[in-house]
Amino acid sequence: MQRVTVPSVQSMEEAGGTLLELAIDPHRWTVPGGRVTVDNRCLVGAVEVCASVDITPTLETFLRVSFKGPRLSPLEAAEHLERFTSARYTFIPNIEWFVEIDGRQWIHFSRPYAQPTLRA
């Protein structure tokens, strides 16, 4: 089995410009849990970043931006999130974004993306 190389970029702003553009394309939306692929990840230094729009079973959509890095704290990840989203969103901490840390030490930030709920 061949290991896939995650592309590297120079800054969080550059990562955000590239990954957010891909994530918000409706053809690339996915169900939660199917979001980490080489197409929606990149490295900025030692920090890995992933961005996606997840669709729940009730057709709600959430923009999710995740970070993983050595000894990365939630506060440092929030600073990365602010730079990552700066070209597209005004960052308001603790108001719009929900945060969670999973067992693999990914720090996930999510917020509702499309309002109201999508209809099938």
Side-chain angles (χ1 to χ4, degrees):
M1 185 165 94
Q2 186 175 2
R3 187 176 183 121
V4 178
T5 303
V6 177
S8 295
V9 296
Q10 297 297 314
S11 69
M12 282 296 165
E13 295 83 359
E14 182 182 351
T18 302
L19 293 180
L20 283 175
E21 185 70 29
L22 293 172
I24 63 173
D25 176 0
H27 292 94
R28 301 174 62 85
W29 294 1
T30 184
V31 296
R35 65 184 164 273
V36 180
T37 69
V38 74
D39 295 332
N40 62 355
R41 294 186 307 176
C42 70
L43 283 172
V44 181
V47 177
E48 191 168 352
V49 186
C50 178
S52 65
V53 172
D54 296 342
I55 304 173
T56 69
T58 58
L59 299 180
E60 295 172 286
T61 56
F62 290 88
L63 174 62
R64 181 180 294 260
V65 180
S66 307
F67 301 92
K68 183 178 181 176
R71 294 185 294 276
L72 183 64
S73 72
L75 183 58
E76 292 168 322
E79 292 170 355
H80 291 320
L81 178 66
E82 183 174 3
R83 289 192 305 278
F84 183 86
T85 60
S86 64
R88 190 169 290 276
Y89 300 103
T90 301
F91 184 77
I92 303 172
N94 299 328
I95 293 175
E96 297 179 2
W97 295 89
F98 303 99
V99 64
E100 64 181 311
I101 302 172
D102 70 17
R104 298 171 299 147
Q105 300 304 305
W106 278 91
I107 301 171
H108 305 281
F109 294 90
S110 60
R111 66 178 272 183
Y113 181 67
Q115 299 290 338
T117 302
L118 295 174
R119 304 276 185 237

